[in-house]
Amino acid sequence: MSSESPAHLFEDDSQMLYTTMVGVMMAAIFAAGFHDDVDRTITRLAPEGTNYPFPQETRHHAAKLTSAIGGFLLGIFFWTLLNKLRWEIIRQLLKYRDWLYSPRSYKTKCWFLALSMLVPRKKYLYTFQHVLPHYPLPPLESTCKKMLQTIEPLVTPDELQEIRKEVKEFMNNEGPMLQAILEKRERSEENWVADLWDKYAYLVSRSSLLFTNFCSNSAIEKSDLSPCKIRLQSARAANITYHHIRFYQMVANRTLPPLLVQNLVPICCHRYRYIFACTRLPGLAMDELKTYDNPKHIIVIRKGVMYKVGVYGRDSSGNESILSPRELQSIFQDILDETDDIADTQWNPSVFTTQNRTLWFQEREKLLSNPLNKLNLSDVESALFHVSLEVENPKNLGEEAWHNLCGGGFNRWFDKSLTCTVYPNSAAGGNIEHTTADATMASRVLEYVWANSKYDADGNAHHPSPSHPIINAPCKISWDLEGLKPQISRCLANHQQMSSNIDMHAMKLLEGKGAIKKCRVSPDSFMQLALQLTFYRLHHKTPKTYETAMTRFFKFGRTETIRTVSMDSVAFTKSMDDASYNRSDRLKHLKAAMTHHNKYKLDAMNGRASDRHIFGLYVAAKFAGVAPKLFNFKVLTDYDQLSTSQSPYQFEKEQSDKLNLFPSGGGFAPQTDDGYGVYYLFLGEDRMTIHITSYRSCLATDSARFGEQLRVAMDDIKQLLRNK
């Protein structure tokens, strides 16, 4: 990343003006009121036997100059002092967490007022990084109590009694020692869990990235959620590429505006640096997340053929800049034309990235032993991002999501932080490696890209100046795969089997949170209870459930787990189809379950949930070489049978106001063989999309059937709330 420019030493123009004003005023005061004293002082301090160092006619001017310099330095001192005080007050204000729980309280209103008076008008990407609160470490007793509450609905009374006994043993034996390890980390680290989460939740995993990466889909029309207007594939790819690079440049030079909740409360921007020019490199036991400094190229893939494409050029004045969208379109069209006659997909090492991480590490070592392949790997892994020019059009949104997530084996380098996909019908999505970033960041990039993409009347990419007289032709990458083809064949077959097992279903609904808010409940709580009801009706059991909560109010924060399931949610799902319950009982259980969910969600966003703390204690136990029996219970160690997530659809008002399209969401694989992955996205007040995944190998699960029952559950809950 580039260093901060001198102008950024001042948070905004008012600070620079204030500094100048103070300096000038102090200089004027010194020069006008004290120059005689200064003159006498300088004369008195001169060595004995020497004359005053300035001629008589310049004494007064010298005194004024000296006073002016002193005054200016004094002004700088006071500005620095006041600025430090200002930021320290902001730091202390941001530690106040009750604004989420009591947004309308008098205390919170005063807090908002104080913060609004101190926050600078001009803000840059990392303006607030140095004052964000540290991620809190909850007390051991609090976490154990909350953990028991979350698992109680998932186990039998006898199992719960056994777990309670082990929790008590843990708190009296290993627990305090492990808590002390984490407390030491909390004192020495700005976020005690951040690097532990990256390493031991992501990088240490040996499973295929197919099951941890996530995908995004093309934009859709606001009116009816139909596919966006068709453009030339090369034109769409050009605009997608150009504006991704523009976004990267704003991250690199730190001019990207930070996101502020309610236009006031900052969130952490640290992980923007991993969206571009970043690759997850395989390791024998643990992978490595590597970033690259200022690369100038992307990788384009079509029919398995890979090209290194330079995306910068020099204009007629010799200044370097991004190739214009029209120039990029010409390059993409050349690649499309050159590969049109290729009948069969060409083999390349991409398929290795779909496999077990240790296997891929071993195959990569073989590639590195070949000088040609080593150079190719360097180009592929150091690229800003990849662009895959697809050959076949998806038939619907669900099929598009499946292709974006799975690929065909030779058109997704799963290690890469970002791969953009562009189809012949100009639908465009992406595949994101999850270690690098979460869905909210990828969604913000897409908002910027779609909001700024422009086309002329003929459907070509808009051509802003400057143009570049010399544009380097794409460089075709040739691999030496001698001796690797048998393994490539086996890996391809394995990838095809894993991919075909993923059942992806997408829904577009011409209804949204507006109708839910009329029922006077939280739209997110509504959806979570609808998902619980759907699962229970289909499978007659309560699933261990995960929902993502953002913890980016804290420095280096990422996510925490919202545990939707409660005793009230179980009572609600059981009561809905039980004739022995009346409407009042069902409504009571529903409201109690929603209250629990909303409270737990706020706790998770504030670092007061239990999952990350339990995770930290588990990792600390590994470090300490102890094995508490508590961590042997399946209810704690099993993955979530129902994995859910959502994100905002708007991020920057300036960008969203320019956008006449909606994002269509995306998807991810389920965590368990008999589970579901559900991503839902509210689009304005009366639109939404839902992506559902399951595994075809499990006869009990079916994504389309789950979607149908989810619609029924949503209608049933609305009816219950409306007739209360």
Side-chain angles (χ1 to χ4, degrees):
M1 298 293 173
S2 62
S3 60
E4 205 165 12
S5 67
H8 292 176
L9 293 174
F10 299 95
E11 297 298 335
D12 57 31
D13 291 340
S14 63
Q15 292 184 2
M16 187 176 292
L17 178 62
Y18 172 76
T19 302
T20 306
M21 180 186 70
V22 170
V24 171
M25 289 180 63
M26 294 300 295
I29 291 171
F30 270 83
F34 301 102
H35 61 82
D36 289 338
D37 291 337
V38 172
D39 184 69
R40 286 193 294 270
T41 300
I42 293 176
T43 303
R44 188 173 64 252
L45 293 176
E48 186 176 356
T50 62
N51 294 322
Y52 188 77
F54 299 104
Q56 180 68 33
E57 61 272 15
T58 63
R59 288 185 183 183
H60 182 66
H61 299 296
K64 288 175 66 176
L65 176 62
T66 304
S67 299
I69 293 173
F72 182 76
L73 293 176
L74 190 61
I76 290 290
F77 169 77
F78 278 115
W79 171 81
T80 303
L81 185 65
L82 290 173
N83 192 51
K84 284 185 176 294
L85 178 62
R86 173 197 199 184
W87 282 107
E88 184 57 34
I89 294 173
I90 292 175
R91 184 197 305 275
Q92 297 304 320
L93 286 173
L94 291 178
K95 292 180 180 179
Y96 175 68
R97 309 308 313 153
D98 287 350
W99 68 274
L100 278 170
Y101 298 95
S102 306
R104 293 184 177 87
S105 70
Y106 178 75
K107 185 177 181 181
T108 297
K109 290 178 181 177
C110 292
W111 175 79
F112 269 117
L113 178 62
L115 193 58
S116 63
M117 293 172 63
L118 292 168
V119 167
R121 289 193 302 274
K122 284 191 176 180
K123 310 167 189 71
Y124 303 97
L125 183 60
Y126 300 122
T127 293
F128 298 97
Q129 280 297 107
H130 66 295
V131 293
L132 290 175
H134 289 194
Y135 191 70
L137 177 67
L140 180 62
E141 183 178 358
S142 171
T143 292
C144 289
K145 181 180 179 181
K146 187 159 287 187
M147 178 197 68
L148 286 171
Q149 291 174 346
T150 63
I151 65 176
E152 183 179 1
L154 303 173
V155 296
T156 66
D158 289 342
E159 289 172 331
L160 181 63
Q161 188 64 28
E162 186 180 358
I163 294 172
R164 287 186 188 277
K165 178 183 175 182
E166 288 303 330
V167 167
K168 187 175 181 180
E169 287 291 321
F170 178 75
M171 292 181 65
N172 291 331
N173 294 292
E174 306 99 338
M177 177 193 68
L178 302 180
Q179 179 75 356
I181 294 175
L182 297 184
E183 287 172 350
K184 183 178 179 180
R185 284 186 59 85
E186 186 189 28
R187 290 190 296 270
S188 61
E189 304 286 339
E190 293 182 294
N191 187 314
W192 64 267
V193 75
D195 67 319
L196 297 181
W197 186 250
D198 282 355
K199 289 178 180 178
Y200 301 107
Y202 289 109
L203 297 176
V204 79
S205 172
R206 301 292 85 195
S207 63
S208 167
L209 297 188
L210 175 65
F211 304 117
T212 56
N213 283 20
F214 62 94
C215 72
S216 60
N217 284 351
S218 190
I220 50 181
E221 296 292 340
K222 283 187 173 182
S223 58
D224 58 359
L225 305 186
S226 61
C228 61
K229 187 175 181 180
I230 294 177
R231 307 288 185 180
L232 294 172
Q233 186 178 15
S234 57
R236 181 77 80 197
N239 262 317
I240 293 289
T241 299
Y242 179 80
H243 292 292
H244 270 91
I245 301 172
R246 286 287 302 274
F247 195 97
Y248 162 74
Q249 287 187 325
M250 288 191 291
V251 173
N253 60 31
R254 306 184 180 192
T255 57
L256 180 72
L259 292 181
L260 283 80
V261 175
Q262 297 190 14
N263 204 33
L264 190 63
V265 186
I267 61 177
C268 183
C269 298
H270 170 69
R271 297 206 77 85
Y272 281 109
R273 68 189 65 197
Y274 297 114
I275 297 178
F276 303 98
C278 180
T279 299
R280 174 174 169 171
L281 301 180
L284 183 62
M286 179 183 289
D287 292 354
E288 172 193 359
L289 200 60
K290 184 173 181 179
T291 57
Y292 300 84
D293 293 332
N294 202 28
K296 304 289 186 182
H297 70 281
I298 63 172
I299 296 296
V300 179
I301 311 172
R302 187 166 193 257
K303 294 184 178 180
V305 183
M306 308 180 79
Y307 295 86
K308 179 182 178 181
V309 176
V311 290
Y312 288 83
R314 295 194 179 276
D315 59 25
S316 55
S317 302
N319 299 316
E320 186 179 66
S321 59
I322 312 171
L323 299 183
S324 71
R326 185 68 66 83
E327 291 167 336
L328 289 168
Q329 179 181 340
S330 176
I331 292 174
F332 283 117
Q333 191 59 54
D334 287 345
I335 292 174
L336 289 169
D337 294 341
E338 184 176 317
T339 55
D340 260 352
D341 294 334
I342 297 177
D344 299 321
T345 300
Q346 304 298 294
W347 284 13
N348 63 55
S350 294
V351 71
F352 290 137
T353 69
T354 71
Q355 302 298 297
N356 172 278
R357 302 303 292 171
T358 301
L359 185 151
W360 167 215
F361 167 78
Q362 294 165 346
E363 297 303 322
R364 184 172 179 273
E365 289 296 301
K366 297 176 186 176
L367 289 168
L368 288 171
S369 66
N370 181 302
L372 174 63
N373 292 336
K374 183 177 181 179
L375 179 63
N376 292 341
L377 279 173
S378 176
D379 289 336
V380 169
E381 293 169 348
S382 65
L384 278 167
F385 52 90
H386 292 185
V387 177
S388 177
L389 299 174
E390 302 295 296
V391 178
E392 296 181 0
N393 289 320
K395 296 182 178 66
N396 51 52
L397 191 61
E399 189 171 305
E400 180 188 342
W402 184 89
H403 281 290
N404 289 336
L405 180 64
C406 300
F410 299 114
N411 57 355
R412 304 282 184 278
W413 196 274
F414 276 76
D415 295 5
K416 198 62 194 168
S417 55
L418 172 64
T419 299
C420 301
T421 55
V422 185
Y423 295 87
N425 65 357
S426 74
N431 185 292
I432 299 94
E433 201 284 307
H434 207 343
T435 315
T436 59
D438 301 307
T440 52
M441 291 187 172
S443 298
R444 185 188 181 187
V445 178
L446 288 178
E447 177 186 68
Y448 176 85
V449 169
W450 286 96
N452 291 280
S453 294
K454 297 179 181 179
Y455 302 87
D456 63 20
D458 297 322
N460 294 305
H462 181 60
H463 195 323
S465 58
S467 60
H468 303 84
I470 300 176
I471 300 176
N472 294 326
C475 178
K476 187 175 180 179
I477 296 176
S478 298
W479 298 91
D480 182 359
L481 302 179
E482 191 65 34
L484 296 174
K485 291 185 177 180
Q487 185 69 304
I488 288 177
S489 180
R490 287 191 292 270
C491 289
L492 178 60
N494 187 42
H495 173 68
Q496 290 172 339
Q497 181 181 9
M498 291 189 297
S499 298
S500 62
N501 192 30
I502 295 178
D503 177 21
M504 177 79 74
H505 178 67
M507 303 163 60
K508 301 176 183 178
L509 306 185
L510 300 181
E511 56 184 280
K513 63 182 179 182
I516 299 172
K517 288 192 292 187
K518 288 179 181 178
C519 298
R520 305 181 68 83
V521 296
S522 159
D524 187 45
S525 295
F526 174 94
M527 283 302 301
Q528 286 296 316
L529 269 297
L531 289 166
Q532 290 296 310
L533 180 57
T534 301
F535 193 100
Y536 185 80
R537 282 174 167 173
L538 286 173
H539 303 290
H540 310 293
K541 60 180 287 190
T542 299
K544 185 180 180 183
T545 304
Y546 168 96
E547 184 190 2
T548 306
M550 179 196 75
T551 58
R552 288 172 61 199
F553 291 122
F554 302 99
K555 193 167 187 178
F556 304 145
R558 289 193 68 172
T559 61
E560 171 60 290
T561 302
I562 304 170
R563 290 300 175 190
T564 300
V565 177
S566 64
M567 296 303 291
D568 292 306
S569 72
V570 173
F572 163 70
T573 56
K574 289 182 177 179
S575 71
M576 278 299 285
D577 298 320
D578 189 335
S580 65
Y581 288 87
N582 58 36
R583 184 181 299 275
S584 177
D585 291 334
R586 293 168 184 157
L587 186 61
K588 180 185 70 173
H589 291 313
L590 173 63
K591 286 298 188 73
M594 287 183 169
T595 299
H596 165 87
H597 170 264
N598 196 55
K599 172 64 166 57
Y600 201 100
K601 179 178 183 177
L602 297 179
D603 285 346
M605 294 171 67
N606 275 313
R608 299 172 184 173
S610 62
D611 274 59
R612 294 299 177 270
H613 191 189
I614 293 295
F615 168 81
L617 293 168
Y618 176 82
V619 174
K622 295 293 184 182
F623 289 165
V626 298
K629 292 181 180 179
L630 177 63
F631 297 146
N632 293 331
F633 287 103
K634 282 177 60 63
V635 70
L636 289 178
T637 59
D638 280 354
Y639 289 109
D640 298 288
Q641 198 172 10
L642 181 57
S643 180
T644 72
S645 185
Q646 68 150 332
S647 70
Y649 81 98
Q650 288 181 322
F651 295 89
E652 285 186 79
K653 189 176 187 305
E654 179 184 350
Q655 303 301 330
S656 61
D657 285 349
K658 296 189 291 185
L659 190 56
N660 294 318
L661 301 166
F662 276 141
S664 60
F668 49 86
Q671 293 185 17
T672 65
D673 293 340
D674 60 349
Y676 298 91
V678 181
Y679 180 86
Y680 53 95
L681 183 63
F682 291 111
L683 303 170
E685 294 297 303
D686 54 4
R687 301 285 187 273
M688 71 179 299
T689 61
I690 305 172
H691 287 71
I692 304 165
T693 55
S694 60
Y695 292 114
R696 300 182 192 277
S697 56
C698 179
L699 299 180
T701 59
D702 182 283
S703 298
R705 186 171 74 242
F706 190 94
E708 293 169 1
Q709 286 300 312
L710 179 58
R711 289 293 304 272
V712 173
M714 292 169 66
D715 290 340
D716 288 348
I717 295 176
K718 285 178 187 175
Q719 189 68 23
L720 177 64
L721 290 167
R722 287 168 180 162
N723 295 335
K724 62 183 179 181

